[in-house]
Amino acid sequence: MAAGAIDHGAASGKGRLSALLCLLLAVFCLFAFVPGIAALPPTDRDESRFIQSSKQMVESGDFVDIRLQDEPRYKKPAGIYWLQSAAVLASGRGADAPVWVYRIVSVAGATLSVLALAWLGARMFGNSAGLIAGFGLAGLLMLAFEARIAKTDATLLAAVLFAQGALAHLYLCHKEGRTSGVAAWVFWIAQGAGILIKGPIAPAISALTVAAVVILDKDRAWLKTLRAGPGVLIALLVAAPWLGLITWKSGAAFWQEAIGRDFLGKIGSGQESHGAPPGYYFLLFSLTFWPFAVPAVNGGLNALNRFRTDPRLLFCLAWYLPYWIVVEVMPTKLPHYMLPAYPALLLLMAWALTDGSATPATLRRWQLWLYRATVFGAVLVTLLLAAVAVAAVPYVVGTISWWGILAALLILVTGWLASGIRPALPPLQRTVLAAAGAAVSMGLLAGLVAPALKPIWLSPEIATQFKAVKPCPDSRLISAGYHEPSLVFLAGTRTMLTDGATAAAELGKDACAVALIADDQLEAFDGALAEGISSIEELGRVEGVNYSKGHERILTFFGKAR
């Protein structure tokens, strides 16, 4: 294909993946995302807040209000809580369902994302490109993490991909002079679903993409195909019922928290110690896009030189660049904020790998320097990931992990394969092998290496000991100085997070209660006991590291003397 020309066969919809290839991709996703979801303990703090709130929905039967113990949790809409609650109810385990049941939703969201991107890649650039994009997303480090964590981001990615895929289809059909079928309705339904999952993020991404396409292309006629009038109504029909119910139930509290404090707060200031200057995502790119950073940057830079003659490249850049600029400018930054834009870069990677003319040799001088810097970053990240895989268990536990060594070897091979610096294999084969290497290595890390780091997983050990020492079947745990939400999920919704003095008072009032006192709360606990509560005995002790705060912890169980 000549430089800058459009493969009209692929662009007109002839690039369509067969049902067998889609099934193969779906099976690969299970292979990539499922290992570790049962072995990895609940993580703090966001995941545990989500799963505890979903657990309370099942316990209470109230699927409108969102609560974390007694506190309202209005930072995100109900969509993810509904999906997690549905998974729990379907499991038949009820509120006692283990954490992996909640994580199934993220696995499903990640799998749908891969299938949607593969479809879009095939539609835009042909079947080989679609498979490269799909396998590339399945092997991406950032998605490997989010697919195993019961939060919003993997599910949001699916909604974004359905919306952006439909938007790309509408735009390209207009450029090709043909009708676009049901794409407009898919776009608006996906927007409604995205709003229910994470508020205005999905609509914001699409709005930025539309604005950039209009500016770069100067063609506004295609906007009519969006059918904005009835489309907005469809999106509202999806999202508005719950928004109305929660407004009726909470008054203005939901809107103040979700929009005022959470969304606008992240735009205006660095929330929860997550502030960072512009350039944060640029510097993290080789890590979050591992192992495909090098071919992705090659595709993106080549697209910058050709997008004016190819609307497919223009759309991908319009998807990626404005969103990247916005999140770089925002004071609040977390690595996963860039995930909804990464599929656009994977599409450009797939295009470059299937277009023989899109090579580093065609880059301009400044682009070539950026490409070389990415190569350096990819090598550095690969070596660091391998070093962490080898050293994590010896450093934390003091024993050698052969699984960590195997993961490190796979990481090194995967980094070399994905870079394409010495391309001995065809692009599709190389991408599939790199994605498989990334999937196996991440599965080993999540399923065997990370769970072996026992000292950092305080909450599971606390919950296990609590069940062993509690004097009554319905005993309540009162924790002073250790306030992680994972403990509430594992030890029960009635768990009380407080200080040493209050723990002593509660222990005096409840003969079945068990107090867990952190070392820095012992003095206050002992002082309160000296005021009249004396029949207390030590029941056990847990030692480890609270990784959320980076502090070593000694936690002691106390109960009424028997």
Side-chain angles (χ1 to χ4, degrees), residues 516-532:
L516 177 73
I517 312 300
D519 44 2
D520 60 356
Q521 293 293 320
L522 277 173
E523 184 177 349
F525 180 74
D526 290 338
L529 291 178
E531 295 175 8

PDB file of all heavy atoms in Angstrom, residues 516-532:
ATOM      1  N   LEU A 516      -8.149  -4.781  67.895  1.00  0.00           N
ATOM      2  CA  LEU A 516      -6.868  -4.889  67.197  1.00  0.00           C
ATOM      3  C   LEU A 516      -6.172  -3.544  67.349  1.00  0.00           C
ATOM      4  O   LEU A 516      -6.654  -2.527  66.837  1.00  0.00           O
ATOM      5  CB  LEU A 516      -7.090  -5.214  65.717  1.00  0.00           C
ATOM      6  CG  LEU A 516      -5.829  -5.278  64.866  1.00  0.00           C
ATOM      7  CD1 LEU A 516      -5.034  -6.538  65.170  1.00  0.00           C
ATOM      8  CD2 LEU A 516      -6.175  -5.223  63.378  1.00  0.00           C
ATOM      9  N   ILE A 517      -5.051  -3.519  68.039  1.00  0.00           N
ATOM     10  CA  ILE A 517      -4.410  -2.257  68.391  1.00  0.00           C
ATOM     11  C   ILE A 517      -3.042  -2.169  67.722  1.00  0.00           C
ATOM     12  O   ILE A 517      -2.161  -3.019  67.942  1.00  0.00           O
ATOM     13  CB  ILE A 517      -4.236  -2.125  69.927  1.00  0.00           C
ATOM     14  CG1 ILE A 517      -5.549  -2.467  70.643  1.00  0.00           C
ATOM     15  CG2 ILE A 517      -3.768  -0.727  70.284  1.00  0.00           C
ATOM     16  CD1 ILE A 517      -6.729  -1.582  70.259  1.00  0.00           C
ATOM     17  N   ALA A 518      -2.857  -1.122  66.899  1.00  0.00           N
ATOM     18  CA  ALA A 518      -1.560  -0.869  66.276  1.00  0.00           C
ATOM     19  C   ALA A 518      -0.583  -0.351  67.320  1.00  0.00           C
ATOM     20  O   ALA A 518      -0.983   0.207  68.354  1.00  0.00           O
ATOM     21  CB  ALA A 518      -1.714   0.137  65.139  1.00  0.00           C
ATOM     22  N   ASP A 519       0.715  -0.512  67.047  1.00  0.00           N
ATOM     23  CA  ASP A 519       1.727  -0.142  68.029  1.00  0.00           C
ATOM     24  C   ASP A 519       1.639   1.321  68.442  1.00  0.00           C
ATOM     25  O   ASP A 519       1.871   1.658  69.598  1.00  0.00           O
ATOM     26  CB  ASP A 519       3.128  -0.463  67.502  1.00  0.00           C
ATOM     27  CG  ASP A 519       3.325  -0.051  66.055  1.00  0.00           C
ATOM     28  OD1 ASP A 519       2.399   0.530  65.455  1.00  0.00           O
ATOM     29  OD2 ASP A 519       4.418  -0.299  65.508  1.00  0.00           O
ATOM     30  N   ASP A 520       1.272   2.221  67.500  1.00  0.00           N
ATOM     31  CA  ASP A 520       1.220   3.634  67.861  1.00  0.00           C
ATOM     32  C   ASP A 520      -0.060   4.007  68.613  1.00  0.00           C
ATOM     33  O   ASP A 520      -0.245   5.158  68.989  1.00  0.00           O
ATOM     34  CB  ASP A 520       1.377   4.513  66.613  1.00  0.00           C
ATOM     35  CG  ASP A 520       0.287   4.264  65.584  1.00  0.00           C
ATOM     36  OD1 ASP A 520      -0.551   3.362  65.788  1.00  0.00           O
ATOM     37  OD2 ASP A 520       0.267   4.984  64.561  1.00  0.00           O
ATOM     38  N   GLN A 521      -0.976   3.056  68.834  1.00  0.00           N
ATOM     39  CA  GLN A 521      -2.208   3.303  69.590  1.00  0.00           C
ATOM     40  C   GLN A 521      -2.221   2.584  70.937  1.00  0.00           C
ATOM     41  O   GLN A 521      -3.187   2.692  71.688  1.00  0.00           O
ATOM     42  CB  GLN A 521      -3.419   2.853  68.764  1.00  0.00           C
ATOM     43  CG  GLN A 521      -3.676   3.676  67.512  1.00  0.00           C
ATOM     44  CD  GLN A 521      -4.106   5.091  67.826  1.00  0.00           C
ATOM     45  OE1 GLN A 521      -4.890   5.323  68.761  1.00  0.00           O
ATOM     46  NE2 GLN A 521      -3.579   6.052  67.084  1.00  0.00           N
ATOM     47  N   LEU A 522      -1.155   1.853  71.216  1.00  0.00           N
ATOM     48  CA  LEU A 522      -1.134   1.077  72.459  1.00  0.00           C
ATOM     49  C   LEU A 522      -1.184   1.957  73.701  1.00  0.00           C
ATOM     50  O   LEU A 522      -1.855   1.633  74.688  1.00  0.00           O
ATOM     51  CB  LEU A 522       0.126   0.196  72.503  1.00  0.00           C
ATOM     52  CG  LEU A 522       0.044  -1.139  71.761  1.00  0.00           C
ATOM     53  CD1 LEU A 522       1.400  -1.816  71.735  1.00  0.00           C
ATOM     54  CD2 LEU A 522      -1.000  -2.044  72.418  1.00  0.00           C
ATOM     55  N   GLU A 523      -0.482   3.094  73.672  1.00  0.00           N
ATOM     56  CA  GLU A 523      -0.460   3.967  74.849  1.00  0.00           C
ATOM     57  C   GLU A 523      -1.851   4.497  75.160  1.00  0.00           C
ATOM     58  O   GLU A 523      -2.298   4.486  76.318  1.00  0.00           O
ATOM     59  CB  GLU A 523       0.516   5.122  74.612  1.00  0.00           C
ATOM     60  CG  GLU A 523       0.684   6.016  75.822  1.00  0.00           C
ATOM     61  CD  GLU A 523       1.721   7.111  75.595  1.00  0.00           C
ATOM     62  OE1 GLU A 523       2.457   7.040  74.581  1.00  0.00           O
ATOM     63  OE2 GLU A 523       1.791   8.036  76.436  1.00  0.00           O
ATOM     64  N   ALA A 524      -2.561   4.948  74.121  1.00  0.00           N
ATOM     65  CA  ALA A 524      -3.921   5.445  74.339  1.00  0.00           C
ATOM     66  C   ALA A 524      -4.841   4.317  74.794  1.00  0.00           C
ATOM     67  O   ALA A 524      -5.715   4.517  75.656  1.00  0.00           O
ATOM     68  CB  ALA A 524      -4.452   6.070  73.047  1.00  0.00           C
ATOM     69  N   PHE A 525      -4.654   3.131  74.225  1.00  0.00           N
ATOM     70  CA  PHE A 525      -5.474   1.973  74.627  1.00  0.00           C
ATOM     71  C   PHE A 525      -5.219   1.618  76.081  1.00  0.00           C
ATOM     72  O   PHE A 525      -6.153   1.433  76.873  1.00  0.00           O
ATOM     73  CB  PHE A 525      -5.139   0.794  73.708  1.00  0.00           C
ATOM     74  CG  PHE A 525      -5.909  -0.456  74.004  1.00  0.00           C
ATOM     75  CD1 PHE A 525      -7.249  -0.566  73.672  1.00  0.00           C
ATOM     76  CD2 PHE A 525      -5.282  -1.549  74.607  1.00  0.00           C
ATOM     77  CE1 PHE A 525      -7.956  -1.733  73.929  1.00  0.00           C
ATOM     78  CE2 PHE A 525      -5.973  -2.723  74.860  1.00  0.00           C
ATOM     79  CZ  PHE A 525      -7.321  -2.809  74.522  1.00  0.00           C
ATOM     80  N   ASP A 526      -3.944   1.539  76.480  1.00  0.00           N
ATOM     81  CA  ASP A 526      -3.603   1.217  77.871  1.00  0.00           C
ATOM     82  C   ASP A 526      -4.100   2.291  78.834  1.00  0.00           C
ATOM     83  O   ASP A 526      -4.567   1.988  79.931  1.00  0.00           O
ATOM     84  CB  ASP A 526      -2.087   1.070  78.019  1.00  0.00           C
ATOM     85  CG  ASP A 526      -1.566  -0.188  77.329  1.00  0.00           C
ATOM     86  OD1 ASP A 526      -2.362  -1.113  77.116  1.00  0.00           O
ATOM     87  OD2 ASP A 526      -0.357  -0.224  77.000  1.00  0.00           O
ATOM     88  N   GLY A 527      -4.024   3.555  78.418  1.00  0.00           N
ATOM     89  CA  GLY A 527      -4.504   4.639  79.270  1.00  0.00           C
ATOM     90  C   GLY A 527      -5.985   4.529  79.542  1.00  0.00           C
ATOM     91  O   GLY A 527      -6.458   4.756  80.662  1.00  0.00           O
ATOM     92  N   ALA A 528      -6.760   4.177  78.514  1.00  0.00           N
ATOM     93  CA  ALA A 528      -8.201   4.016  78.701  1.00  0.00           C
ATOM     94  C   ALA A 528      -8.509   2.803  79.565  1.00  0.00           C
ATOM     95  O   ALA A 528      -9.426   2.830  80.385  1.00  0.00           O
ATOM     96  CB  ALA A 528      -8.886   3.873  77.335  1.00  0.00           C
ATOM     97  N   LEU A 529      -7.721   1.738  79.414  1.00  0.00           N
ATOM     98  CA  LEU A 529      -7.923   0.565  80.262  1.00  0.00           C
ATOM     99  C   LEU A 529      -7.658   0.895  81.718  1.00  0.00           C
ATOM    100  O   LEU A 529      -8.332   0.406  82.617  1.00  0.00           O
ATOM    101  CB  LEU A 529      -6.982  -0.571  79.829  1.00  0.00           C
ATOM    102  CG  LEU A 529      -7.262  -1.232  78.475  1.00  0.00           C
ATOM    103  CD1 LEU A 529      -6.211  -2.296  78.189  1.00  0.00           C
ATOM    104  CD2 LEU A 529      -8.652  -1.849  78.446  1.00  0.00           C
ATOM    105  N   ALA A 530      -6.677   1.762  81.982  1.00  0.00           N
ATOM    106  CA  ALA A 530      -6.322   2.113  83.364  1.00  0.00           C
ATOM    107  C   ALA A 530      -7.439   2.851  84.064  1.00  0.00           C
ATOM    108  O   ALA A 530      -7.440   2.943  85.285  1.00  0.00           O
ATOM    109  CB  ALA A 530      -5.055   2.959  83.367  1.00  0.00           C
ATOM    110  N   GLU A 531      -8.389   3.374  83.298  1.00  0.00           N
ATOM    111  CA  GLU A 531      -9.477   4.123  83.903  1.00  0.00           C
ATOM    112  C   GLU A 531     -10.617   3.229  84.375  1.00  0.00           C
ATOM    113  O   GLU A 531     -11.697   3.699  84.674  1.00  0.00           O
ATOM    114  CB  GLU A 531     -10.000   5.161  82.910  1.00  0.00           C
ATOM    115  CG  GLU A 531      -8.968   6.233  82.572  1.00  0.00           C
ATOM    116  CD  GLU A 531      -9.468   7.186  81.498  1.00  0.00           C
ATOM    117  OE1 GLU A 531     -10.659   7.106  81.142  1.00  0.00           O
ATOM    118  OE2 GLU A 531      -8.662   7.992  81.017  1.00  0.00           O
ATOM    119  N   GLY A 532     -10.409   1.934  84.404  1.00  0.00           N
ATOM    120  CA  GLY A 532     -11.450   1.077  84.975  1.00  0.00           C
ATOM    121  C   GLY A 532     -11.685  -0.218  84.246  1.00  0.00           C
ATOM    122  O   GLY A 532     -12.442  -1.059  84.736  1.00  0.00           O
TER     123      GLY A 532
END
